[in-house]
């Protein structure tokens, strides 16, 4: 039955048309998702760099503090009074306290940097893997998008040549039915049930289907063109 073949071709054409709409959207979503992953990693790298910068500044402060401490300690040999001596001692004590605070900060920040480096290394590895998946997926999608127009032309050409084999009045009925049924005009029937609407077909009508007549038979419920298809054949 040419109508069955035409329906198959038209259904395929619909799928290709749908893909022509969907694939560019999927590609755009893929790009957006991957850009977000890359951005998150970039942020993590920046956070680590900021910590490293703070660490360098603390080391610098520590160096300056030590220099100041050294100079202050040297001044002990130059003091001329006990009062002055006490003042320098006080100054040294304050500087030593400051020094200790900076040292503690450095220990803390080095631990933080260590933790961040470990987690970043894991993230970098994951990023490499997802980058490869992204490239593969992107290539596949672009390939499919690239071939979609020729696929569509091929299906349409098949459809045209199939239509030439079908009488005009039958085509008219087919097109009308297709338009009101979301593109599906011809469906199979099996065990007295229409595969389009899953309602039962009256036995007399079902028997007509089995007779393999040239006449078009409609499902009394969904009004689609039905044909008998032995579904036992599929499992063989
Ligand atoms: Zn039906």
């Amino acid at each position: 039955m040419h109508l069955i073949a035409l329906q198959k071709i038209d259904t395929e054409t619909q799928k290709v048309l749908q893909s022509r709409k969907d694939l560019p959207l999927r590609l755009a979503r893929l790009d957006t998702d991957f850009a977000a992953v890359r951005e998150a990693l970039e942020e993590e790298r920046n956070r680590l760099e900021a910590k490293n910068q703070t660490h360098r500044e603390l080391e610098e402060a520590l160096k300056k503090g030590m220099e100041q401490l050294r100079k202050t300690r040297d001044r002990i040999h130059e003091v001329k009074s006990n009062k002055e001596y006490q003042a320098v001692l006080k100054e040294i004590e304050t500087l030593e306290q400051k020094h200790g605070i900076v040292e503690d900060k450095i220990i803390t920040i080095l631990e933080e940097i260590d933790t961040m480096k470990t987690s970043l290394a894991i993230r970098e590895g994951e990023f490499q893997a997802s980058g490869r998946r992204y490239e593969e997926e992107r290539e596949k999608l672009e390939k499919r998008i690239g071939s979609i127009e020729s696929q569509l032309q091929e299906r349409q050409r098949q459809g045209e040549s199939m239509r030439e084999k079908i009488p005009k009045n039958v085509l008219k009925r087919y097109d009308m039915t297709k338009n009101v049924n979301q593109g599906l005009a011809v469906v199979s029937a099996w065990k007295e049930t229409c595969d389009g609407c899953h309602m039962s077909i009256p036995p007399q009508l079902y028997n007509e289907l089995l007779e393999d007549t040239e006449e078009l038979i409609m499902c009394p419920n969904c009004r689609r063109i039905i044909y008998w298809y032995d579904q036992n054949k599929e499992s063989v």
Side-chain angles (χ1 to χ4, degrees):
M1 191 167 153
H2 291 321
L3 267 187
I4 300 170
L6 180 60
Q7 177 67 72
K8 271 187 184 146
I9 294 164
D10 283 352
T11 302
E12 284 301 315
T13 308
Q14 282 304 317
K15 278 187 197 160
V16 178
L17 280 169
Q18 193 59 45
S19 295
R20 189 165 71 169
K21 257 195 253 170
D22 293 344
L23 292 177
L25 296 176
R26 269 177 63 186
L27 189 66
R29 202 163 48 230
L30 190 73
D31 285 345
T32 313
D33 287 352
F34 187 66
V37 173
R38 184 166 30 209
E39 212 170 287
L41 183 68
E42 199 58 46
E43 273 171 25
E44 201 167 331
R45 284 178 187 147
N46 289 341
R47 279 198 297 276
L48 177 62
E49 184 43 41
K51 279 276 175 212
N52 278 326
Q53 179 61 30
T54 310
H55 174 227
R56 283 192 292 271
E57 283 163 10
L58 284 170
E59 292 286 358
E60 194 59 36
L62 193 70
K63 225 164 81 182
K64 275 185 188 155
M66 274 167 81
E67 181 65 15
Q68 208 182 350
L69 199 57
R70 193 182 56 76
K71 279 180 183 164
T72 313
R73 279 179 181 143
D74 282 351
R75 267 170 45 211
I76 285 208
H77 310 295
E78 296 155 19
V79 294
K80 292 180 179 72
S81 66
N82 188 48
K83 197 181 163 197
E84 214 181 320
Y85 179 71
Q86 292 302 328
V88 174
L89 278 188
K90 181 75 196 150
E91 204 178 317
I92 289 171
E93 198 189 328
T94 309
L95 284 172
E96 279 175 341
Q97 274 174 3
K98 269 193 193 169
H99 191 77
I101 292 169
V102 176
E103 273 181 336
D104 287 348
K105 277 188 182 168
I106 288 176
I107 290 169
T108 308
I109 207 163
L110 281 176
E111 281 170 0
E112 284 172 1
I113 286 173
D114 220 38
T115 311
M116 283 172 90
K117 273 185 178 166
T118 308
S119 110
L120 187 61
I122 295 168
R123 287 287 289 270
E124 297 273 7
E126 285 168 357
F127 179 71
Q128 294 294 325
S130 73
R132 280 192 295 274
R133 282 197 300 275
Y134 163 73
E135 293 294 344
E136 278 170 22
E137 188 68 18
R138 198 172 202 292
E139 205 173 307
K140 267 190 227 163
L141 281 174
E142 280 193 321
K143 223 171 173 176
R144 285 180 66 189
I145 291 170
S147 69
I148 210 111
E149 290 305 325
S150 63
Q151 268 185 54
L152 192 60
Q153 278 167 20
E154 173 65 14
R155 298 272 180 252
Q156 281 164 346
R157 202 185 50 73
Q158 287 173 348
E160 291 302 325
S161 72
M162 192 54 72
R163 289 176 81 89
E164 281 166 18
K165 299 174 187 164
I166 301 169
K168 284 264 180 314
N169 60 327
V170 175
L171 274 181
K172 204 174 157 191
R173 163 67 69 180
Y174 169 80
D175 287 336
M176 265 169 50
T177 313
K178 209 175 80 161
N179 283 340
V180 294
N181 286 292
Q182 287 88 40
L184 194 61
V186 183
V187 293
S188 55
W190 173 242
K191 289 188 175 171
E192 297 186 10
T193 303
C194 165
D195 290 331
C197 64
H198 305 290
M199 299 294 278
S200 59
I201 296 161
Q204 199 189 336
L205 194 64
Y206 192 70
N207 285 337
E208 279 180 46
L209 275 182
L210 297 178
E211 280 163 19
D212 198 23
T213 60
E214 279 303 301
E215 213 177 312
L216 291 183
I217 298 173
M218 312 290 167
C219 166
N221 181 56
C222 68
R223 306 300 301 161
R224 289 186 178 101
I225 301 159
I226 45 177
Y227 65 93
W228 183 72
Y229 181 73
D230 185 354
Q231 293 189 7
N232 281 336
K233 280 197 294 192
E234 283 178 349
S235 53
V236 174

